[in-house]
Coordinates of all heavy atoms in Angstrom, one line a residue:
M355 N 3.1 13.2 8.5 CA 2.1 13.4 9.6 C 1.1 12.3 9.4 O 0.6 11.9 8.5 CB 1.4 14.8 9.3 CG 2.2 16.0 9.6 SD 2.9 16.2 11.2 CE 4.6 16.3 10.9
S356 N 0.5 11.8 10.5 CA -0.3 10.8 10.5 C -1.7 11.1 11.3 O -1.8 10.9 12.4 CB 0.3 9.5 11.3 OG -0.6 8.4 11.3
D357 N -2.6 11.6 10.5 CA -3.9 12.0 11.0 C -5.1 11.2 10.4 O -6.2 11.4 10.7 CB -4.1 13.5 10.9 CG -4.1 14.0 9.5 OD1 -4.1 13.2 8.6 OD2 -4.2 15.2 9.4
G358 N -4.7 10.3 9.4 CA -5.7 9.5 8.9 C -6.8 10.2 7.8 O -7.8 9.7 7.5
T359 N -6.4 11.4 7.6 CA -7.4 12.2 6.7 C -7.2 11.8 5.3 O -6.2 11.6 4.7 CB -7.0 13.8 6.8 OG1 -7.0 14.1 8.2 CG2 -7.9 14.5 6.0
F360 N -8.5 11.6 4.6 CA -8.5 11.3 3.2 C -8.6 12.5 2.4 O -9.5 13.5 2.8 CB -9.6 10.3 3.0 CG -9.4 9.0 3.4 CD1 -9.5 8.5 4.7 CD2 -9.0 7.9 2.4 CE1 -9.3 7.2 5.1 CE2 -8.8 6.7 2.8 CZ -8.9 6.3 4.1
V361 N -7.9 12.7 1.4 CA -8.0 13.8 0.5 C -8.3 13.4 -0.9 O -7.9 12.3 -1.3 CB -6.7 14.7 0.6 CG1 -6.5 15.2 2.0 CG2 -5.5 14.0 0.1
R362 N -9.0 14.2 -1.7 CA -9.3 13.9 -3.0 C -8.0 13.8 -3.9 O -7.2 14.8 -3.9 CB -10.3 14.8 -3.6 CG -10.7 14.4 -5.0 CD -11.6 15.5 -5.6 NE -12.3 15.1 -7.0 CZ -11.5 15.3 -8.1 NH1 -10.3 15.8 -8.2 NH2 -12.1 14.9 -9.2
A363 N -7.8 12.6 -4.6 CA -6.6 12.4 -5.5 C -6.9 12.5 -6.8 O -6.1 13.1 -7.7 CB -6.0 11.1 -5.1
A364 N -8.1 12.2 -7.2 CA -8.4 12.1 -8.7 C -9.9 11.8 -8.9 O -10.6 11.4 -8.0 CB -7.5 11.0 -9.5
A365 N -10.4 12.0 -10.0 CA -11.7 11.5 -10.4 C -11.6 10.1 -10.8 O -10.6 9.7 -11.6 CB -12.4 12.4 -11.6
L366 N -12.5 9.2 -10.5 CA -12.4 7.8 -10.9 C -12.4 7.7 -12.3 O -11.6 6.8 -12.8 CB -13.7 7.1 -10.4 CG -13.8 5.6 -10.5 CD1 -12.6 5.0 -9.9 CD2 -15.1 5.1 -9.9
A367 N -13.0 8.5 -13.1 CA -13.1 8.5 -14.5 C -11.7 8.8 -15.1 O -11.4 8.4 -16.3 CB -14.0 9.5 -15.1
D368 N -10.8 9.5 -14.4 CA -9.4 9.8 -14.8 C -8.4 8.7 -14.5 O -7.3 8.9 -14.9 CB -8.9 11.1 -14.3 CG -9.8 12.2 -14.9 OD1 -10.3 12.1 -15.9 OD2 -9.8 13.3 -14.2
V369 N -8.9 7.6 -13.9 CA -7.9 6.5 -13.6 C -8.4 5.2 -14.3 O -9.1 4.4 -13.7 CB -7.8 6.3 -12.1 CG1 -6.9 5.2 -11.8 CG2 -7.4 7.6 -11.4
P370 N -8.1 5.0 -15.6 CA -8.6 3.9 -16.3 C -8.2 2.4 -15.6 O -7.0 2.4 -15.1 CB -8.0 4.0 -17.7 CG -7.5 5.5 -17.7 CD -7.3 5.9 -16.3
E371 N -9.0 1.5 -15.7 CA -8.7 0.2 -15.2 C -7.4 -0.3 -15.9 O -7.4 -0.2 -17.2 CB -9.8 -0.7 -15.5 CG -9.8 -2.0 -14.9 CD -11.0 -2.9 -15.0 OE1 -12.1 -2.3 -15.3 OE2 -10.7 -4.2 -14.8
G372 N -6.5 -0.8 -15.1 CA -5.4 -1.4 -15.7 C -4.2 -0.5 -16.2 O -3.2 -0.9 -16.7
V373 N -4.4 0.8 -15.8 CA -3.3 1.8 -16.3 C -2.9 2.5 -15.1 O -3.5 3.2 -14.4 CB -4.0 2.8 -17.3 CG1 -2.9 3.9 -17.7 CG2 -4.6 2.1 -18.5
P374 N -1.5 2.3 -14.8 CA -0.9 3.0 -13.6 C -1.0 4.6 -13.9 O -0.6 5.0 -14.9 CB 0.5 2.6 -13.6 CG 0.6 1.4 -14.5 CD -0.6 1.5 -15.5
T375 N -1.6 5.3 -13.0 CA -2.0 6.7 -13.2 C -1.3 7.6 -12.1 O -1.6 7.4 -10.9 CB -3.5 6.9 -13.1 OG1 -4.0 6.0 -14.1 CG2 -3.8 8.3 -13.4
P376 N -0.4 8.5 -12.5 CA 0.3 9.4 -11.5 C -0.7 10.5 -11.0 O -1.4 11.0 -11.8 CB 1.5 9.9 -12.2 CG 1.0 10.0 -13.7 CD 0.0 8.8 -13.9
V377 N -0.5 10.7 -9.7 CA -1.1 11.9 -9.1 C -0.2 12.4 -8.1 O 0.7 11.8 -7.5 CB -2.5 11.5 -8.4 CG1 -3.6 11.1 -9.4 CG2 -2.3 10.4 -7.4
L378 N -0.5 13.8 -7.8 CA 0.2 14.4 -6.7 C -0.8 14.7 -5.6 O -1.9 15.4 -5.8 CB 0.8 15.8 -7.3 CG 1.8 16.5 -6.5 CD1 3.1 15.7 -6.3 CD2 2.1 17.9 -7.1
V379 N -0.4 14.3 -4.4 CA -1.4 14.4 -3.2 C -0.6 14.9 -2.0 O 0.4 14.3 -1.7 CB -2.1 13.1 -2.9 CG1 -3.0 13.3 -1.7 CG2 -2.8 12.5 -4.1
N380 N -0.9 16.1 -1.7 CA -0.2 16.7 -0.6 C 1.3 16.6 -0.8 O 2.1 16.4 0.2 CB -0.5 16.1 0.8 CG -2.0 16.4 1.2 OD1 -2.7 17.2 0.6 ND2 -2.3 15.8 2.4
G381 N 1.7 17.0 -2.1 CA 3.2 17.0 -2.4 C 3.8 15.7 -2.6 O 5.0 15.7 -2.9
K382 N 3.1 14.6 -2.4 CA 3.6 13.3 -2.6 C 3.2 12.8 -4.0 O 2.0 12.9 -4.3 CB 3.1 12.3 -1.7 CG 3.7 12.1 -0.3 CD 3.1 11.1 0.5 CE 3.6 11.0 1.8 NZ 4.9 10.5 2.1
R383 N 4.2 12.2 -4.6 CA 3.9 11.5 -6.0 C 3.5 10.1 -5.7 O 4.3 9.2 -5.2 CB 5.2 11.6 -6.9 CG 5.6 13.0 -7.3 CD 6.9 12.9 -8.1 NE 6.8 12.3 -9.3 CZ 7.7 12.3 -10.3 NH1 8.8 13.0 -10.0 NH2 7.5 11.7 -11.4
L384 N 2.1 9.9 -6.1 CA 1.7 8.6 -6.0 C 1.3 8.0 -7.3 O 1.0 8.7 -8.3 CB 0.3 8.6 -5.1 CG 0.4 9.3 -3.7 CD1 -0.9 9.2 -3.0 CD2 1.6 8.7 -2.9
A385 N 1.0 6.6 -7.3 CA 0.5 6.0 -8.4 C -0.9 5.3 -8.0 O -0.9 4.8 -7.0 CB 1.4 4.8 -8.9
L386 N -1.9 5.6 -8.7 CA -3.1 5.0 -8.6 C -3.3 3.9 -9.6 O -3.0 3.9 -10.7 CB -4.3 6.0 -8.8 CG -4.3 7.2 -7.8 CD1 -5.5 8.0 -8.1 CD2 -4.4 6.8 -6.3
F387 N -4.0 2.8 -9.0 CA -4.2 1.5 -9.8 C -5.6 1.1 -9.6 O -6.1 0.8 -8.6 CB -3.3 0.4 -9.3 CG -1.8 0.8 -9.2 CD1 -1.3 1.2 -8.0 CD2 -1.1 0.7 -10.4 CE1 0.1 1.6 -8.0 CE2 0.3 1.0 -10.3 CZ 0.8 1.4 -9.1
N388 N -6.4 1.2 -10.8 CA -7.8 0.8 -10.8 C -7.8 -0.7 -11.3 O -7.5 -1.0 -12.4 CB -8.5 1.7 -11.7 CG -10.0 1.4 -11.7 OD1 -10.5 0.3 -11.3 ND2 -10.8 2.3 -12.3
L389 N -8.3 -1.5 -10.3 CA -8.3 -3.0 -10.6 C -9.8 -3.4 -11.0 O -10.1 -4.5 -11.2 CB -8.0 -3.8 -9.4 CG -6.5 -3.6 -8.9 CD1 -6.3 -4.6 -7.7 CD2 -5.5 -4.0 -10.0
G390 N -10.6 -2.3 -11.2 CA -12.0 -2.6 -11.7 C -12.9 -2.6 -10.5 O -13.9 -1.7 -10.5
D391 N -12.7 -3.4 -9.5 CA -13.6 -3.5 -8.3 C -13.0 -2.7 -7.2 O -13.7 -2.3 -6.2 CB -14.0 -4.9 -7.8 CG -12.7 -5.8 -7.7 OD1 -11.5 -5.3 -8.0 OD2 -12.9 -6.8 -7.2
T392 N -11.7 -2.4 -7.2 CA -11.0 -1.6 -6.1 C -10.0 -0.7 -6.8 O -9.5 -0.9 -8.0 CB -10.3 -2.4 -5.1 OG1 -9.5 -3.3 -5.8 CG2 -11.4 -3.3 -4.4
V393 N -9.6 0.3 -6.0 CA -8.6 1.2 -6.4 C -7.5 1.2 -5.3 O -7.8 1.1 -4.2 CB -9.0 2.7 -6.7 CG1 -7.9 3.6 -7.0 CG2 -10.1 2.7 -7.7
H394 N -6.2 1.2 -5.8 CA -5.1 1.1 -4.8 C -4.2 2.3 -5.0 O -4.1 2.7 -6.3 CB -4.4 -0.2 -4.9 CG -5.3 -1.3 -4.6 ND1 -5.5 -1.8 -3.3 CD2 -6.2 -2.0 -5.3 CE1 -6.5 -2.7 -3.2 NE2 -6.9 -2.9 -4.6
A395 N -3.4 2.6 -4.0 CA -2.3 3.8 -4.2 C -1.1 3.4 -3.6 O -1.0 2.7 -2.4 CB -2.9 5.0 -3.5
T396 N 0.1 3.6 -4.4 CA 1.4 3.4 -3.7 C 2.2 4.6 -4.1 O 1.7 5.4 -4.9 CB 2.1 2.2 -4.4 OG1 2.4 2.4 -5.7 CG2 1.2 0.8 -4.2
D397 N 3.4 4.7 -3.5 CA 4.4 5.6 -4.1 C 4.5 5.4 -5.6 O 4.5 4.3 -6.1 CB 5.8 5.4 -3.4 CG 5.7 6.1 -2.0 OD1 4.9 7.1 -1.7 OD2 6.5 5.6 -1.1
E398 N 4.9 6.5 -6.3 CA 5.0 6.4 -7.7 C 6.3 5.8 -8.3 O 6.4 5.0 -9.2 CB 4.8 7.8 -8.4 CG 5.0 7.7 -9.9 CD 5.0 9.1 -10.6 OE1 4.9 10.1 -9.9 OE2 5.5 9.2 -11.8
M399 N 7.3 6.0 -7.4 CA 8.7 5.7 -7.9 C 9.1 4.3 -7.4 O 8.9 3.9 -6.3 CB 9.6 6.8 -7.4 CG 9.3 8.2 -7.7 SD 8.9 8.4 -9.6 CE 10.6 8.5 -10.1
C400 N 9.6 3.6 -8.4 CA 10.1 2.2 -8.1 C 11.2 2.3 -7.0 O 12.1 3.3 -7.0 CB 10.7 1.7 -9.4 SG 11.4 0.0 -9.1
T401 N 11.3 1.3 -6.1 CA 12.2 1.3 -5.0 C 13.6 0.9 -5.4 O 14.6 1.0 -4.6 CB 11.8 0.4 -3.8 OG1 11.5 -0.8 -4.3 CG2 10.5 0.9 -3.2
H402 N 13.7 0.4 -6.7 CA 14.9 -0.1 -7.1 C 15.9 1.0 -7.5 O 17.1 1.2 -7.1 CB 14.9 -1.0 -8.3 CG 16.1 -1.6 -8.8 ND1 16.5 -1.4 -10.2 CD2 17.1 -2.3 -8.2 CE1 17.7 -2.0 -10.2 NE2 18.1 -2.5 -9.1
A403 N 15.4 1.9 -8.5 CA 16.4 3.0 -9.0 C 15.5 4.3 -9.3 O 15.8 5.0 -10.2 CB 17.2 2.5 -10.1
D404 N 14.4 4.4 -8.5 CA 13.7 5.6 -8.5 C 13.1 6.0 -10.0 O 13.5 7.1 -10.5 CB 14.6 6.7 -8.0 CG 13.8 7.9 -7.4 OD1 12.7 7.6 -6.8 OD2 14.3 9.0 -7.4
Y405 N 12.5 5.1 -10.6 CA 11.9 5.3 -11.9 C 10.3 5.2 -11.7 O 9.9 4.5 -10.9 CB 12.4 4.2 -12.8 CG 12.2 4.5 -14.3 CD1 13.2 5.3 -14.9 CD2 11.1 4.1 -15.0 CE1 13.0 5.7 -16.3 CE2 10.9 4.4 -16.4 CZ 11.9 5.3 -16.9 OH 11.6 5.6 -18.3
S406 N 9.7 6.0 -12.5 CA 8.1 6.0 -12.4 C 7.6 4.8 -12.8 O 7.6 4.3 -14.0 CB 7.6 7.2 -13.2 OG 6.2 7.1 -13.1
L407 N 6.8 4.2 -11.9 CA 6.0 3.0 -12.2 C 4.8 3.3 -13.2 O 4.3 2.3 -13.7 CB 5.5 2.3 -10.9 CG 6.7 1.8 -10.0 CD1 6.1 1.4 -8.7 CD2 7.3 0.6 -10.7
C408 N 4.6 4.6 -13.3 CA 3.5 4.9 -14.2 C 3.9 4.9 -15.7 O 3.0 5.0 -16.5 CB 2.9 6.2 -13.8 SG 2.1 6.3 -12.2
E409 N 5.2 4.6 -15.9 CA 5.7 4.4 -17.2 C 5.7 2.9 -17.6 O 5.9 2.6 -18.7 CB 7.2 4.9 -17.4 CG 7.4 6.3 -17.1 CD 6.7 7.2 -18.1 OE1 6.7 6.8 -19.4 OE2 6.2 8.3 -17.7
G410 N 5.4 2.1 -16.5 CA 5.3 0.7 -16.7 C 3.8 0.2 -17.1 O 3.0 1.0 -17.5
H411 N 3.6 -1.1 -16.8 CA 2.4 -1.5 -17.2 C 1.8 -2.6 -16.1 O 2.6 -2.9 -15.2 CB 2.3 -2.3 -18.5 CG 3.1 -3.5 -18.5 ND1 4.5 -3.6 -18.5 CD2 2.7 -4.9 -18.3 CE1 5.0 -4.9 -18.6 NE2 3.9 -5.6 -18.3
M412 N 0.6 -2.9 -16.1 CA -0.1 -3.8 -15.1 C -0.3 -5.1 -15.7 O -0.5 -5.3 -16.8 CB -1.3 -3.2 -14.5 CG -1.1 -1.9 -13.7 SD -2.6 -1.1 -13.0 CE -3.0 -2.5 -11.8
E413 N -0.1 -6.1 -14.8 CA -0.4 -7.5 -15.1 C -1.3 -8.0 -14.0 O -0.7 -8.3 -12.9 CB 0.9 -8.3 -15.3 CG 1.7 -7.9 -16.6 CD 3.1 -8.7 -16.7 OE1 3.4 -9.5 -15.8 OE2 3.9 -8.4 -17.7
G414 N -2.5 -8.0 -14.1 CA -3.4 -8.4 -13.1 C -3.2 -7.3 -11.9 O -3.4 -6.2 -12.0
C415 N -2.8 -7.9 -10.7 CA -2.8 -7.2 -9.5 C -1.3 -6.5 -9.4 O -0.9 -6.1 -8.3 CB -3.2 -7.9 -8.3 SG -4.8 -8.3 -8.3
T416 N -0.4 -6.8 -10.3 CA 0.9 -6.2 -10.2 C 1.3 -5.2 -11.3 O 0.6 -5.1 -12.3 CB 2.0 -7.5 -10.5 OG1 1.9 -7.8 -11.8 CG2 1.7 -8.5 -9.5
V417 N 2.2 -4.4 -10.8 CA 2.7 -3.3 -11.7 C 4.2 -3.7 -12.0 O 4.8 -4.1 -11.1 CB 2.6 -1.8 -11.2 CG1 3.4 -1.7 -9.9 CG2 3.0 -0.9 -12.2
V418 N 4.6 -3.6 -13.3 CA 5.9 -3.9 -13.7 C 6.6 -2.7 -14.0 O 6.2 -1.8 -14.9 CB 5.8 -4.8 -14.9 CG1 7.3 -5.4 -15.4 CG2 5.0 -6.1 -14.6
C419 N 7.8 -2.5 -13.4 CA 8.7 -1.4 -13.8 C 9.3 -1.6 -15.1 O 9.9 -2.6 -15.3 CB 9.7 -1.2 -12.6 SG 10.8 0.1 -12.9
P420 N 9.2 -0.5 -15.9 CA 9.9 -0.7 -17.3 C 11.3 -0.7 -17.4 O 11.8 -1.0 -18.4 CB 9.3 0.5 -18.1 CG 9.0 1.6 -16.9 CD 8.7 0.8 -15.7
L421 N 12.0 -0.3 -16.3 CA 13.5 -0.1 -16.4 C 14.1 -1.4 -16.3 O 15.0 -1.7 -17.1 CB 13.9 1.0 -15.4 CG 15.2 1.7 -15.6 CD1 15.3 2.2 -17.0 CD2 15.5 2.6 -14.6
H422 N 13.9 -2.1 -15.1 CA 14.6 -3.4 -15.1 C 13.6 -4.5 -14.6 O 14.0 -5.6 -14.2 CB 15.7 -3.4 -13.9 CG 16.6 -2.1 -14.0 ND1 16.5 -1.0 -13.2 CD2 17.5 -2.0 -14.9 CE1 17.4 -0.1 -13.6 NE2 18.1 -0.7 -14.5
F423 N 12.3 -4.2 -14.7 CA 11.2 -5.3 -14.8 C 11.0 -5.8 -13.4 O 10.5 -6.9 -13.2 CB 11.6 -6.3 -15.8 CG 11.8 -5.8 -17.1 CD1 13.0 -5.9 -17.7 CD2 10.7 -5.1 -17.8 CE1 13.2 -5.3 -19.0 CE2 11.0 -4.5 -19.1 CZ 12.3 -4.7 -19.7
A424 N 11.4 -5.1 -12.3 CA 10.9 -5.5 -11.0 C 9.3 -5.3 -11.0 O 8.7 -4.5 -11.8 CB 11.4 -4.6 -9.9
S425 N 8.6 -6.2 -10.3 CA 7.2 -6.0 -10.1 C 6.7 -5.9 -8.7 O 7.3 -6.6 -7.8 CB 6.4 -7.0 -10.8 OG 6.6 -8.3 -10.4
F426 N 5.6 -5.3 -8.5 CA 5.0 -5.1 -7.1 C 3.6 -5.4 -7.1 O 2.9 -5.2 -8.2 CB 5.2 -3.6 -6.7 CG 6.6 -3.1 -6.7 CD1 7.2 -2.6 -8.0 CD2 7.3 -3.1 -5.6 CE1 8.6 -2.1 -7.9 CE2 8.7 -2.7 -5.6 CZ 9.3 -2.1 -6.8
D427 N 3.1 -5.9 -6.0 CA 1.7 -6.1 -5.9 C 1.0 -4.8 -5.5 O 1.4 -4.2 -4.5 CB 1.5 -7.2 -4.7 CG -0.1 -7.6 -4.6 OD1 -0.9 -6.6 -4.8 OD2 -0.3 -8.8 -4.3
V428 N 0.1 -4.2 -6.3 CA -0.4 -2.9 -6.1 C -1.3 -2.8 -4.9 O -1.6 -1.7 -4.4 CB -1.0 -2.3 -7.4 CG1 -0.1 -2.4 -8.6 CG2 -2.4 -3.1 -7.6
R429 N -1.8 -4.0 -4.4 CA -2.7 -4.0 -3.3 C -2.0 -3.7 -2.0 O -2.5 -3.3 -1.0 CB -3.5 -5.3 -3.3 CG -4.3 -5.5 -4.5 CD -4.8 -6.9 -4.5 NE -3.7 -7.9 -4.6 CZ -3.8 -9.2 -4.8 NH1 -5.0 -9.7 -4.9 NH2 -2.7 -10.0 -4.9
T430 N -0.7 -4.1 -1.9 CA 0.1 -4.1 -0.8 C 1.4 -3.2 -0.8 O 1.9 -2.9 0.1 CB 0.4 -5.5 -0.2 OG1 1.2 -6.1 -1.3 CG2 -0.8 -6.3 0.0
G431 N 1.8 -3.2 -2.0 CA 3.1 -2.5 -2.3 C 4.4 -3.6 -2.2 O 5.4 -3.2 -2.5
A432 N 4.0 -4.8 -2.0 CA 4.9 -5.9 -1.7 C 5.8 -6.1 -3.1 O 5.1 -6.2 -4.1 CB 4.5 -7.0 -1.2
V433 N 7.1 -6.3 -3.0 CA 7.8 -6.8 -4.1 C 7.4 -8.2 -4.6 O 7.1 -9.0 -3.7 CB 9.4 -6.8 -3.7 CG1 10.1 -7.5 -5.0 CG2 9.8 -5.4 -3.5
V434 N 7.2 -8.3 -5.8 CA 6.8 -9.6 -6.3 C 8.0 -10.2 -7.1 O 8.3 -11.4 -6.8 CB 5.7 -9.6 -7.4 CG1 5.2 -10.9 -8.0 CG2 4.3 -9.1 -6.5
D435 N 8.7 -9.4 -7.9 CA 9.9 -9.9 -8.6 C 10.9 -8.9 -8.6 O 10.7 -7.7 -8.4 CB 9.5 -10.0 -10.2 CG 8.5 -11.2 -10.4 OD1 8.9 -12.3 -10.0 OD2 7.5 -10.9 -11.0
P436 N 12.2 -9.4 -8.4 CA 13.4 -8.6 -8.3 C 13.7 -7.8 -9.6 O 13.0 -8.2 -10.6 CB 14.5 -9.5 -8.0 CG 14.1 -10.9 -8.5 CD 12.6 -10.9 -8.4
P437 N 14.6 -6.8 -9.7 CA 15.6 -6.7 -8.8 C 15.2 -5.8 -7.6 O 16.1 -5.6 -6.8 CB 16.7 -6.0 -9.6 CG 15.9 -5.2 -10.6 CD 14.8 -6.1 -11.0
A438 N 14.1 -5.1 -7.5 CA 13.7 -4.4 -6.3 C 13.7 -5.2 -5.1 O 13.4 -6.5 -5.2 CB 12.4 -3.8 -6.5
C439 N 14.2 -4.8 -4.0 CA 14.2 -5.5 -2.8 C 13.2 -4.9 -1.8 O 12.7 -5.6 -0.8 CB 15.6 -5.4 -2.1 SG 16.9 -6.2 -3.0
D440 N 13.0 -3.6 -1.8 CA 12.2 -2.9 -0.9 C 10.8 -2.7 -1.4 O 10.5 -2.3 -2.6 CB 12.8 -1.6 -0.5 CG 14.2 -1.6 0.1 OD1 14.3 -2.6 0.9 OD2 14.9 -0.9 -0.2
D441 N 9.7 -3.1 -0.6 CA 8.4 -2.8 -0.9 C 8.1 -1.3 -1.1 O 8.8 -0.4 -0.6 CB 7.5 -3.3 0.2 CG 7.6 -4.8 0.6 OD1 8.1 -5.6 -0.5 OD2 7.2 -5.2 1.6
L442 N 7.1 -1.1 -1.9 CA 6.5 0.3 -2.0 C 5.7 0.6 -0.8 O 5.1 -0.3 -0.3 CB 5.5 0.4 -3.2 CG 6.1 0.1 -4.6 CD1 5.1 -0.1 -5.7 CD2 7.1 1.3 -5.1
T443 N 5.6 1.9 -0.4 CA 4.6 2.3 0.6 C 3.3 2.2 -0.1 O 3.2 2.9 -1.3 CB 4.9 3.7 1.1 OG1 6.2 3.5 1.7 CG2 4.0 4.2 2.2
S444 N 2.3 1.7 0.5 CA 0.9 1.7 0.0 C 0.1 2.7 0.9 O 0.4 2.9 2.1 CB 0.3 0.4 -0.2 OG 0.2 -0.2 1.1
Y445 N -1.0 3.2 0.3 CA -1.8 4.2 1.2 C -3.3 3.8 1.1 O -3.7 3.2 0.0 CB -1.7 5.6 0.5 CG -0.3 6.1 0.5 CD1 0.7 5.7 -0.6 CD2 0.3 6.7 1.6 CE1 2.0 6.1 -0.6 CE2 1.7 7.1 1.6 CZ 2.4 6.8 0.5 OH 3.8 7.3 0.6
P446 N -4.0 4.0 2.1 CA -5.5 3.7 2.1 C -6.2 4.4 1.1 O -6.0 5.6 0.9 CB -5.9 4.0 3.5 CG -4.7 4.0 4.3 CD -3.5 4.5 3.5
V447 N -7.1 3.8 0.4 CA -7.9 4.4 -0.6 C -9.5 4.2 -0.3 O -9.8 3.2 0.1 CB -7.6 3.9 -2.0 CG1 -8.4 4.5 -3.1 CG2 -6.1 4.2 -2.4
K448 N -10.2 5.2 -0.6 CA -11.7 5.1 -0.7 C -12.2 5.7 -1.9 O -11.7 6.7 -2.4 CB -12.3 6.0 0.5 CG -12.1 5.6 1.9 CD -12.8 6.6 2.8 CE -12.6 6.3 4.2 NZ -13.2 7.3 5.2
V449 N -13.1 5.1 -2.5 CA -14.0 5.7 -3.7 C -15.2 6.2 -3.1 O -16.0 5.6 -2.5 CB -14.2 4.6 -4.7 CG1 -14.9 5.2 -5.9 CG2 -12.8 4.1 -5.2
D450 N -15.4 7.5 -3.3 CA -16.6 8.2 -2.8 C -17.4 8.8 -4.1 O -17.0 9.8 -4.5 CB -16.2 9.2 -1.8 CG -17.4 10.0 -1.3 OD1 -18.6 9.6 -1.5 OD2 -17.2 11.0 -0.7
G451 N -18.2 8.0 -4.5 CA -19.0 8.5 -5.8 C -18.0 8.5 -6.9 O -17.4 7.4 -7.3
D452 N -17.7 9.6 -7.5 CA -16.9 9.7 -8.6 C -15.4 10.1 -8.3 O -14.6 10.4 -9.1 CB -17.4 10.8 -9.6 CG -18.7 10.4 -10.2 OD1 -19.0 9.2 -10.4 OD2 -19.5 11.2 -10.6
D453 N -15.1 10.2 -7.0 CA -13.9 10.6 -6.5 C -13.1 9.5 -5.8 O -13.7 8.7 -5.2 CB -14.1 11.8 -5.4 CG -14.7 13.1 -6.0 OD1 -14.3 13.4 -7.2 OD2 -15.4 13.7 -5.3
I454 N -11.8 9.6 -6.0 CA -10.8 8.7 -5.4 C -10.2 9.5 -4.3 O -9.6 10.5 -4.6 CB -9.7 8.1 -6.4 CG1 -10.5 7.3 -7.4 CG2 -8.8 7.3 -5.6 CD1 -9.5 7.0 -8.5
L455 N -10.3 9.0 -3.1 CA -9.7 9.6 -1.9 C -8.5 8.7 -1.5 O -8.7 7.6 -1.3 CB -10.7 9.9 -0.8 CG -12.1 10.5 -1.2 CD1 -13.0 10.5 0.0 CD2 -11.9 11.8 -1.8
V456 N -7.4 9.5 -1.0 CA -6.2 8.7 -0.6 C -5.9 9.3 0.9 O -6.0 10.6 0.9 CB -5.2 8.8 -1.5 CG1 -3.8 8.1 -1.0 CG2 -5.5 8.2 -2.8
S457 N -5.4 8.5 1.7 CA -5.0 9.0 3.0 C -3.4 8.9 2.8 O -2.9 7.7 2.9 CB -5.4 8.2 4.1 OG -4.7 8.6 5.4
V458 N -2.7 10.0 2.9 CA -1.3 9.9 2.5 C -0.6 10.1 3.9 O 0.6 10.1 4.0 CB -0.8 11.0 1.6 CG1 -1.2 10.7 0.2 CG2 -1.1 12.4 2.1
S459 N -1.3 10.1 5.0 CA -0.7 10.3 6.3 C -0.1 8.9 6.9 O -0.4 7.9 6.3 CB -1.8 10.8 7.3 OG -2.9 10.1 7.3
Ligands
LIG1127 S1 14.2 1.1 -11.5 FE1 12.5 -0.3 -11.3 S2 13.3 -2.1 -11.5 FE2 15.0 -0.9 -11.6

């Protein structure tokens, strides 16, 4: 459904800078990435073989999948390094005080 509604995904304090953090928003498994000055959201699962990117680690603005080391730009979801071929879906994020809001529509 595409209605542009933002819903609370997490407290900002629960998403440490540089640590991929899993959340469930409206039944969708997402990963939140705190870059310090901004927060970004993508699907949690790697597009290569459906493995959680929250088991991986961040290198600057990228998240590295621990299974076969594909990497993605967390700001856009774009593939940076193979073997993944398909970009992650990314979602709009707002930080409102202590809350992280995501639009999963
Ligand atoms: S499952 Fe992520 S790179 Fe293969």
